[in-house]
Amino acid sequence: MPAELISPTALVYMYRGQILDKEKELSLLTASTPEEVQNALRGTWLEGVAVEEASSEELERLACQKYYEILMKLRGYVPSYNLKLMIDNLVDWLRARDVMLIVRAAVSGKDLKEVEGFLLFKDDPVVSTTLLVIKERGLEGLAQALKGFKMASYIEQAVEMYRSYKDLSAFVLAMDVMLLKSMYNVITRIGKSMNVGTSKIEISKLLCPEIDALAVTLVGRAILKGLKLPAEPPACDQDLVRALVQAKPDEVVPLLRRTPYGEGVPEDPYEALAKVRVNAMRVQRKRALAAFSGYPFRVAVLLALLILLRLDARDVATIMTGKKLGLDPSKIAENLSYELF
């Protein structure tokens, strides 16, 4: 079929068919041999990948690489300038991911050579300059390295949050906030043709569960560590975060139970924070899958595909790590974005 006859919907839905479903994830969880693992992944975007040997960082990179390939195929023939603009924005976010990996490694004291294998855009000027500057000058040169990159302010915000909270979750949170706000900005710029109000609501529903769970986790951990909180992290539900910032350690769990993601939260505060993140992932998975039931093609569908790829990568990494540790499948399943049992 000629490329010009393939609609954006057909292409994106084709890749939607490669996402792990509940049955495949359950098969992967219960697989006991390498052959059974590969059979479980047959027909998915991870078919043929040696997931038993891959780290969580490698799987996350594969998810982003697959998404980039999808974006480039889509951009190659879509007639809509607005959709091209949206795709370019998502590619910028992927470039920012590379920069954030470099910065995160720097603040963690890791050898930057270890990070290079997880980068998608090694030869991109922003990425290569950031890597060079941080190798030579450290984080002091970050602002100069990112000069002119429209995602720079979010990356700098991540560094400040990390300095305040001493928690690497700050970088994941900053990435999701960056994606949310950059999508808002592009939709507003496009205007009426993108149905601004509806698009913003759909994007919020897709991204806010992860953002709010990360913000709550960041604040909760800081409170339990006895850190003085200089500022609130960004969140969709800022009132929830504000209430948690003012809480005492013994008030953390009761507050978490009153959140939309507080179902089944245990008494231990650290376990409670982990449960909130799992609950938020499950909400996000359901919303991303539901986005494909609408018509016509919308930017929310393209964003939902990214979310599903990321969740697949996390779930597979969780399953493989749990198997290596000899954990019971039911225990591993408690941390997955599908509710398998």
Side-chain angles (χ1 to χ4, degrees):
M1 180 184 293
E4 62 267 22
L5 298 181
I6 305 175
S7 72
T9 307
L11 180 67
V12 176
Y13 274 67
M14 181 186 76
Y15 286 107
R16 156 68 181 87
Q18 296 179 6
I19 296 298
L20 285 172
D21 58 25
K22 188 180 286 189
E23 288 71 24
K24 287 187 178 296
E25 200 156 290
L26 183 58
S27 296
L28 182 65
L29 180 65
T30 56
S32 56
T33 66
E35 291 76 17
E36 289 178 353
V37 168
Q38 286 306 310
N39 285 337
L41 296 175
R42 188 167 295 159
T44 74
W45 66 275
L46 284 164
E47 182 174 359
V49 175
V51 295
E52 303 97 324
E53 302 168 8
S55 66
S56 59
E57 292 86 358
E58 287 170 324
L59 290 170
E60 193 263 347
R61 181 191 181 281
L62 284 173
C64 290
Q65 183 177 17
K66 171 62 71 172
Y67 191 62
Y68 177 66
E69 291 170 3
I70 295 168
L71 292 178
M72 290 300 96
K73 287 181 180 179
L74 190 59
R75 198 188 189 288
Y77 62 76
V78 291
S80 166
Y81 169 77
N82 291 337
L83 186 53
K84 280 185 168 67
L85 191 64
M86 194 63 67
I87 289 170
D88 290 344
N89 181 70
L90 288 165
V91 171
D92 267 347
W93 179 82
L94 289 172
R95 292 166 68 209
R97 167 202 168 270
D98 276 9
V99 173
M100 202 76 89
L101 281 176
I102 296 167
V103 175
R104 179 173 172 168
V107 301
S108 304
K110 291 184 179 179
D111 185 346
L112 294 182
K113 289 183 180 178
E114 296 178 15
V115 180
E116 292 183 37
F118 302 130
L119 302 177
L120 288 176
F121 303 95
K122 288 182 184 178
D123 299 324
D124 181 89
V126 172
V127 177
S128 58
T129 300
T130 302
L131 186 59
L132 180 63
V133 167
I134 289 183
K135 279 181 178 178
E136 294 182 350
R137 297 171 53 195
L139 292 177
E140 289 72 20
L142 183 62
Q144 186 64 32
L146 297 176
K147 194 172 183 180
F149 185 38
K150 63 183 178 181
M151 303 285 188
S153 61
Y154 299 109
I155 296 167
E156 291 167 356
Q157 183 182 36
V159 175
E160 290 307 311
M161 275 199 293
Y162 175 78
R163 285 172 173 160
S164 298
Y165 289 89
K166 306 300 181 188
D167 193 324
L168 292 173
S169 298
F171 292 96
V172 186
L173 174 59
M175 282 296 295
D176 279 57
V177 171
M178 180 193 309
L179 184 55
L180 177 72
K181 292 187 176 179
S182 64
M183 293 292 277
Y184 279 179
N185 291 340
V186 175
I187 289 171
T188 301
R189 178 179 169 187
I190 292 170
K192 293 180 181 178
S193 63
M194 284 297 292
N195 197 344
V196 175
T198 301
S199 293
K200 284 189 174 182
I201 291 170
E202 286 189 306
I203 289 168
S204 297
K205 287 182 70 176
L206 287 169
L207 291 173
C208 284
E210 173 81 343
I211 289 171
D212 285 341
L214 283 166
V216 164
T217 300
L218 203 63
V219 173
R221 285 176 181 166
I223 290 170
L224 295 172
K225 291 175 184 175
L227 297 178
K228 184 179 179 181
L229 305 181
E232 298 170 9
C236 297
D237 188 347
Q238 207 67 51
D239 290 339
L240 166 63
V241 174
R242 192 168 294 120
L244 194 58
V245 164
Q246 298 169 355
K248 297 175 183 177
D250 60 355
E251 296 172 335
V252 169
V253 173
L255 269 174
L256 293 177
R257 286 178 173 155
R258 294 201 291 269
T259 71
Y261 317 111
E263 183 180 353
V265 163
E267 289 293 337
D268 181 86
Y270 286 103
E271 290 180 6
L273 289 168
K275 180 64 174 174
V276 165
R277 285 210 63 190
V278 171
N279 288 346
M281 282 197 306
R282 290 178 175 176
V283 170
Q284 199 175 33
R285 168 80 79 171
K286 289 176 182 176
R287 289 179 180 177
L289 290 170
F292 288 88
S293 62
Y295 188 84
F297 180 85
R298 309 173 320 285
V299 67
V301 176
L302 195 56
L303 187 58
L305 187 60
L306 169 63
I307 290 168
L308 291 174
L309 287 166
R310 290 170 67 188
L311 290 173
D312 278 2
R314 290 179 196 174
D315 280 2
V316 171
T318 299
I319 291 171
M320 291 300 108
T321 300
K323 284 177 176 291
K324 288 175 184 176
L325 294 174
L327 299 180
D328 186 86
S330 61
K331 190 67 177 176
I332 300 171
E334 291 177 3
N335 299 299
L336 302 177
S337 65
Y338 277 118
E339 196 166 356
L340 297 181
F341 300 115

